[in-house]
Amino acid sequence: MTESAWVTLRRRLVESYDELRILLTRRLGSEDLARETLHETWLRLDRVDDVSVMRNPDAYLARVALNLATDRQRFETRRARKSDVNAVLDDIVDEAPDQAEELESRRDLKMFEAAIWELSERRRAILIAARLDQEPHQKIAERLGISKRMVQIELKYALQHCKSRLERK
């Protein structure tokens, strides 16, 4: 491309920048992507070898920018699809625990059951109602004939007891 053609194209890009940005923003759905595409258009002007583009430089610039926008959309779509697939693959985890994990889980469960049975009947009832049955503290208090604060205290002690038993492994 001749020096004057390169200068003319770049000058026309600067002059029609706002119009092209609006066109690309509508096409891409993002002003940032439109600006990036126009920047890439500016860089691509160094590669123009055909002097015939000078017959209609505005049409040429719009075509280059729209082609780059289309390429960008295709790339983003492919990247989105690939990231969606990767996200799904990352979420797929071997749900089956290995033998060591299964044995440890069973041991922890037995220790937890033993810790629960070490609790007083009231603490055990509060723990089961609050944590397993998701019963509100006020409802537990009314059923047991104690204050809501007492339910909270008993639950705290029950949880501390179970935690200390499990930490002893």
Side-chain angles (χ1 to χ4, degrees):
M1 171 167 64
T2 65
E3 180 72 23
S4 64
W6 181 81
V7 170
T8 301
L9 284 174
R10 290 228 168 149
R11 183 175 37 79
R12 289 302 306 140
L13 180 59
V14 170
E15 290 169 358
S16 61
Y17 182 87
D18 288 331
E19 295 168 32
L20 288 169
R21 181 184 44 78
I22 291 167
L23 173 72
L24 292 173
T25 298
R26 276 191 230 124
R27 178 75 170 270
L28 295 169
S30 165
E31 189 167 344
D32 288 338
L33 290 176
R35 290 176 195 275
E36 288 177 26
T37 301
L38 286 172
H39 177 74
E40 193 172 342
T41 301
W42 176 274
L43 296 174
R44 294 271 175 111
L45 293 180
D46 278 344
R47 301 180 192 169
V48 177
D49 293 327
D50 188 4
V51 178
S52 66
V53 301
M54 293 312 298
R55 280 185 251 145
N56 194 345
D58 291 335
Y60 176 78
L61 288 172
R63 182 74 292 168
V64 168
L66 287 170
N67 286 344
L68 288 170
T70 301
D71 291 347
R72 182 177 295 278
Q73 282 179 320
R74 286 182 188 142
F75 173 76
E76 292 296 326
T77 301
R78 279 193 306 271
R79 188 172 73 174
R81 285 186 197 140
K82 186 177 180 180
S83 69
D84 289 345
V85 168
N86 287 339
V88 168
L89 290 176
D90 288 344
D91 287 345
I92 297 175
V93 178
D94 184 8
E95 296 295 327
D98 64 16
Q99 274 188 325
E101 290 173 327
E102 191 172 330
L103 286 173
E104 186 175 347
S105 294
R106 285 183 184 174
R107 191 179 87 220
D108 288 348
L109 183 58
K110 285 182 181 182
M111 291 176 71
F112 183 66
E113 287 175 0
I116 289 175
W117 285 107
E118 293 171 358
L119 296 170
S120 68
E121 189 175 327
R122 183 168 84 173
R123 279 190 185 164
R124 185 172 47 250
I126 290 171
L127 177 65
I128 291 170
R131 291 298 190 245
L132 297 178
D133 298 337
Q134 299 291 310
E135 198 173 324
H137 293 181
Q138 186 61 44
K139 188 175 176 184
I140 297 168
E142 290 168 4
R143 184 169 41 84
L144 296 177
I146 58 176
S147 69
K148 180 179 173 183
R149 177 73 180 130
M150 185 53 74
V151 169
Q152 293 168 340
I153 291 169
E154 291 284 5
L155 180 59
K156 176 184 166 187
Y157 287 132
L159 291 171
Q160 285 174 344
H161 174 79
C162 292
K163 180 182 176 188
S164 70
R165 291 295 186 262
L166 289 171
E167 287 175 346
R168 287 188 201 168
K169 291 193 217 186

